[in-house]
Amino acid sequence: GDSIELSLIQKNGQDNDIDIYANGNNNSISIVQDGSYNIADVTQTGPEPTTTTINQTGDNFNTTVTQYCNTQGGCSVTVTQY
């Protein structure tokens, strides 16, 4: 797709994992992992723009976000884990 914006920050830990599949236009993904043994798995598809924000602060969090956006104007998902 066109115009995929990524912001990935991993700090203060070890053995974190991020898996991303983004297909479409004007998608944005922001992930912060502050801790150890965190997993973020994001899949974004569909004809409309999607914004996904994941904040994992601490250890041993596992998040999977799968979104097909067909809503005019776009979709957004925010996951915060402490």
Side-chain angles (χ1 to χ4, degrees), residues 9-12 16-18 30-42 53-65 79-82:
I9 299 172
Q10 294 177 314
K11 61 183 181 177
N12 299 323
N16 291 309
D17 184 56
I18 296 174
S30 174
I31 299 173
V32 176
Q33 292 176 321
D34 186 356
S36 296
Y37 311 106
N38 295 310
I39 299 171
D41 184 359
V42 177
T53 303
I54 298 174
N55 292 302
Q56 296 172 316
T57 301
D59 300 329
N60 299 303
F61 292 118
N62 186 348
T63 299
T64 300
V65 174
V79 178
T80 302
Q81 296 176 306
Y82 291 101

Side-chain angles (χ1 to χ4, degrees), residues 68-79:
Y68 178 88
C69 185
N70 198 30
T71 302
Q72 187 174 13
C75 305
S76 71
V77 175
T78 299
V79 178

